[in-house]
Amino acid sequence: MNEAKDFTRASKQDLYQHHDYYLMDELLTDEHKLIRATVRDFVKKEIAPIIEDAAQKALFPHYLIKGMAEVGSFGAQLPAAYGCGGLDYISYGLIMQELERCDSGIRSTASVQGSLVMYPIYKFGSEEQKHKYLPKLAAGELMGCFGLTEPDHGSNPAGMTTHYKDAGDGKHVILNGAKMWISNSPFADIAVVWAKDEAGEIKGLIAERGMAGFTTPETHNKWSLRASATGELVFNDVLVPKENIFPGVSGLKGPLTCLNSARYGISWGVIGAALDCYDTALRYSKERHQFGKPIAGFQLQQKKLAEMITEITKAQLLTWRLGVLMNEGRATPAQISMAKRNNVDMAATIARNARQMLGGMGITGEYSIMRHMMNLESVLTYEGTHDIHLLITGMDVTGENAFA
Ligand code: TGC
Ligand code: FAD
């Protein structure tokens, strides 16, 4: 019998509640599903009950770090040899999806730790650096941040002015400059910092909290990613041991290679936020009656819901395929840009429409939608803005560089 025609009404309901419209679960292994279920359970039990309060108070819930580490949120895609997850890129994506189903700020903390701190140490670091930092970062015993953006250099990091010079003692360099908009900076134990050497080459190095002249002032008054701590990195004649410089990379491709991994994770993460908004709007529309019937019965609301699940399904397919290419080492940076841009825009549009479907209730903290909507404004901007990713696709298909 054709299985696709064999849906009872009950199994269809289950399927729709899971919002797996194209039976994407059949493309996942049992291990993928177990990882997703583990993170989903943890998020439901530990994060969902407190996230609204944390966001309203603009506090990052530090006590979650240990549990997040235990369910594999940090460095899932990196080799087990260094205490990391040893999982594939689809597992990593599913973890990001389940975290961001709850809150983009929580996913941000995990993205930064796994893709922007652990990944560069793994990819470009010395064996000593890998053994010293990776196991502790995976366990959440150390937390890190990633400093690329500067006050005058956001989309154009090549222009950075943060720099270091030889201290003359044979052991240290002296680091000066400032980074801005840095996720996790206010509490991070270490910072992966991108700075120019005396020849003007971009290099990566690890600065540690406590080094004299290194401070991390927090950025306040954000209307977005309120449950994630954001701040600056300020370096005032900081003596950094030479052994903290990454030996394995020079140039802008260093930080941009890390961004590939993080942007990939975001393309999965935002599907989680979109699913949560869709699920909330769908349930609400069935329960909320106006003009004598559920608002789900009105064509205008059905149009919104039908478009949401269509866009989510397209994003799921795009992202799953990208995951396969990542696993095979064949994904190009431009393919990753396309997925980041498309999926974040998809989630932001769904959040705005879902918000409208809840009427006045949509602006309250009783529901997660407005929080997702505000969070996604940051996600549209960080890791390369919506415009920058369009220009990367434009350059890829035309061969013409609009940045030059
Ligand atoms: P361009 O001349 O094109 O390239 C310089 C060198 O880099 C190589 N490259 C890449 N390598 C790996 N992956 C990529 N995605 C790469 N893109 C370029 C390139 O081949 C070249 O290598 P080589 O060997 O020839 O030197 O560089 P450009 O200066 O013209 O800039 C290009 C542009 C605009 C695309 C790039 O600067 C860019 O992506 N800008 C956006 C900046 C950005 O995304 N910042 C993110 C900061 S981190 C962050 O937001 C974290 S938020 C985390 C959270 O909370 O979740
Ligand atoms: P700008 O680069 O000044 O851009 C302003 C506008 O101009 C944008 O709309 C942009 O698309 C447009 N624009 C720029 N150049 C072009 C062009 N060539 N053509 C057309 N339009 C253009 N950075 C880190 O290094 N580490 C972090 O952990 C981190 N976390 C962040 C957390 C949050 C909450 C936020 C908001 C940002 C974070 N960032 C981080 C910084 C983020 O990556 C930058 O904000 C982003 O890259 C854009 O830089 P900008 O804000 O300076 O905007």
Side-chain angles (χ1 to χ4, degrees):
M1 185 186 290
N2 181 346
E3 280 184 21
K5 286 188 186 154
D6 189 27
F7 287 144
T8 61
R9 193 173 166 74
S11 69
K12 249 187 183 171
Q13 288 295 345
D14 289 348
L15 181 68
Y16 292 163
Q17 271 177 20
H18 191 48
H19 309 316
D20 182 13
Y21 207 78
Y22 263 45
L23 312 183
M24 298 285 295
D25 268 15
E26 291 176 12
L27 300 172
L28 302 180
T29 62
D30 288 344
E31 188 185 41
H32 290 146
K33 287 183 242 178
L34 181 66
I35 290 161
R36 183 181 60 190
T38 305
V39 180
R40 192 178 289 178
D41 284 353
F42 168 75
V43 168
K44 254 193 199 159
K45 233 184 266 162
E46 305 294 335
I47 313 186
I50 59 93
I51 192 64
E52 182 61 32
D53 189 50
Q56 294 275 358
K57 292 182 176 148
L59 290 174
F60 171 70
H62 292 265
Y63 67 90
L64 291 175
I65 286 173
K66 189 167 177 286
M68 286 174 73
E70 280 167 6
V71 296
S73 306
F74 304 144
Q77 79 287 20
L78 299 175
Y82 297 103
C84 306
L87 301 173
D88 71 354
Y89 271 95
I90 292 184
S91 307
Y92 171 65
L94 288 166
I95 295 170
M96 296 301 117
Q97 175 184 290
E98 294 312 314
L99 294 175
E100 194 152 0
R101 193 190 286 270
C102 186
D103 190 84
S104 304
I106 300 295
R107 193 270 306 138
S108 265
T109 295
S111 289
V112 168
Q113 180 87 342
S115 282
L116 298 181
V117 177
M118 296 172 71
Y119 179 84
I121 294 174
Y122 165 68
K123 183 91 181 157
F124 307 126
S126 64
E127 274 309 306
E128 292 73 32
Q129 289 167 348
K130 290 181 208 185
H131 286 291
K132 180 173 176 191
Y133 295 110
L134 288 178
K136 287 187 176 161
L137 288 162
E141 288 165 23
L142 280 182
M143 293 300 289
C145 65
F146 175 87
L148 179 64
T149 306
E150 299 187 350
D152 294 329
H153 300 95
S155 297
N156 178 25
M160 70 174 67
T161 58
T162 299
H163 62 281
Y164 64 82
K165 62 179 186 194
D166 202 298
D169 63 357
K171 290 186 187 153
H172 296 89
V173 293
I174 303 173
L175 179 65
N176 276 290
K179 301 286 178 181
M180 191 178 176
W181 294 118
I182 307 305
S183 301
N184 299 358
S185 96
F187 61 83
D189 304 288
I190 63 169
V192 167
V193 183
W194 299 94
K196 287 181 176 163
D197 66 12
E198 285 170 88
E201 274 289 317
I202 295 173
K203 297 274 193 181
L205 50 80
I206 299 169
E208 298 189 4
R209 184 172 296 282
M211 286 178 170
F214 174 29
T215 52
T216 60
E218 184 156 2
T219 303
H220 295 289
N221 298 330
K222 292 180 299 172
W223 284 111
S224 177
L225 287 196
R226 290 172 61 81
S228 157
T230 313
E232 298 167 48
L233 301 174
V234 182
F235 306 103
N236 197 352
D237 284 337
V238 180
L239 274 183
V240 180
K242 285 184 177 172
E243 67 201 23
N244 284 24
I245 299 173
F246 293 145
V249 75
S250 252
L252 193 59
K253 65 176 174 293
L256 292 180
T257 301
C258 310
L259 293 178
N260 293 335
S261 172
R263 290 167 176 173
Y264 164 77
I266 288 174
S267 74
W268 280 88
V270 292
I271 293 175
L275 282 167
D276 190 46
C277 292
Y278 169 71
D279 184 70
T280 306
L282 180 61
R283 286 170 198 270
Y284 189 88
S285 70
K286 290 181 185 174
E287 285 161 13
R288 175 72 175 167
H289 286 65
Q290 289 294 289
F291 299 97
K293 66 174 186 177
I295 61 169
F298 295 113
Q299 288 182 0
L300 283 177
Q301 305 313 320
Q302 288 187 4
K303 177 174 186 289
K304 290 194 186 86
L305 291 165
E307 286 176 351
M308 285 181 202
I309 191 63
T310 305
E311 291 308 315
I312 287 171
T313 304
K314 283 154 68 180
Q316 286 171 325
L317 287 161
L318 179 74
T319 312
W320 178 82
R321 175 65 185 153
L322 184 61
V324 171
L325 293 175
M326 291 287 287
N327 283 342
E328 294 171 355
R330 292 197 294 144
T332 66
Q335 286 170 335
I336 296 168
S337 282
M338 181 184 282
K340 191 271 183 184
R341 179 174 185 274
N342 179 77
N343 291 10
V344 180
D345 190 51
M346 172 280 297
T349 304
I350 287 176
R352 284 181 207 125
N353 285 327
R355 215 283 314 141
Q356 286 188 54
M357 286 187 65
L358 267 69
M361 289 309 290
I363 70 154
T364 72
E366 294 298 309
Y367 294 90
S368 52
I369 297 178
M370 187 91 178
R371 180 166 44 79
H372 283 306
M373 195 178 113
M374 296 193 301
N375 282 344
L376 288 162
E377 290 299 314
S378 287
V379 187
L380 279 163
T381 289
Y382 69 33
E383 302 267 8
T385 68
H386 192 63
D387 298 329
I388 292 296
H389 289 296
L390 176 129
L391 295 175
I392 291 171
T393 305
M395 178 160 58
D396 199 44
V397 297
T398 65
E400 299 287 338
N401 185 351
F403 301 111

